[in-house]
Amino acid sequence: MMPAVIIAAGASSSAVAAGPAIPLDVYIDWIVHILSWAAILSGSFFVLVGSVGLIRMPDVFTRMHAASIIDTLGAGLLVAGMMMQAGPSLITLKLIFIMLLFLVTSPVATHALAQAALHAGEKPELKEDRTNEPGSPRAQLEEAQHQAEGKR
Amino acid sequence: MFTIASIAVMIALALAVTRAILGPTVFDRVLAANTIGTLAILLLAVIGFLMGRPEWLDIALVYGLLNLIGTLAVLKYFRHGDLAHDAEQDTKS
């Protein structure tokens, strides 16, 4: 929509006078539009990345790490893009409040969650748990399962 | 633009709901519930812009406040088994 306006404005004014045709306001509008496009698209990308991490990560603590991407980069870029679309108004003020809310509540919730999980005896999965070398906890576990299946 | 953003947020919501259903421990489910709240705020804001009614941002703010209180209440319940637990008594005794 915006490029068409610019082409129309440029065509009409350059037909009248062959000087600096397009007014500066139109350029600034266009730049803000492109920046908000970029911010909203990259915000959507980071929201998707965070939710895929929520599915793929191995334990609670790493999943918290993935979910914090949604709270910071995803929400931040989306809200910044929406601010650029809204312009200076009451809506932008509300968006700033939403952003401040995210910045304050997300670390509080994540910290409480990690503390409660540690208190309840959740252990972070370590590198030793992921290797299959003989003697590692995972190899011992697999061996025990193997023996249990063999006995049956 | 807002259509793309709302579709992305909805896909993310579906994945978060999957984690809430699968989640082996209760903390996975609390984390997924927190993420679902965050994504609901974002979806409200984006769809408000998409429909040309940005007044929905007020509802999004209320959702954000409720989300934090809900998460902390559930975590306190699972940690102490009691919502009115006095933490000072633990340190005294």
Side-chain angles (χ1 to χ4, degrees), chain A residues 43-67:
Chain A
S44 321
F45 172 73
F46 281 115
V47 165
L48 282 179
V49 165
S51 59
V52 168
L54 202 63
I55 292 288
R56 300 260 311 153
M57 288 290 189
D59 70 340
V60 187
F61 302 98
T62 47
R63 277 174 208 141
M64 270 176 228
H65 171 72

Side-chain angles (χ1 to χ4, degrees), chain A residues 115-133:
Chain A
Q115 206 183 18
L118 274 177
H119 187 78
E122 279 292 313
K123 289 273 194 303
E125 192 176 317
L126 300 177
K127 192 184 169 193
E128 293 92 85
D129 304 334
R130 296 175 66 82
T131 53
N132 271 325
E133 289 169 13

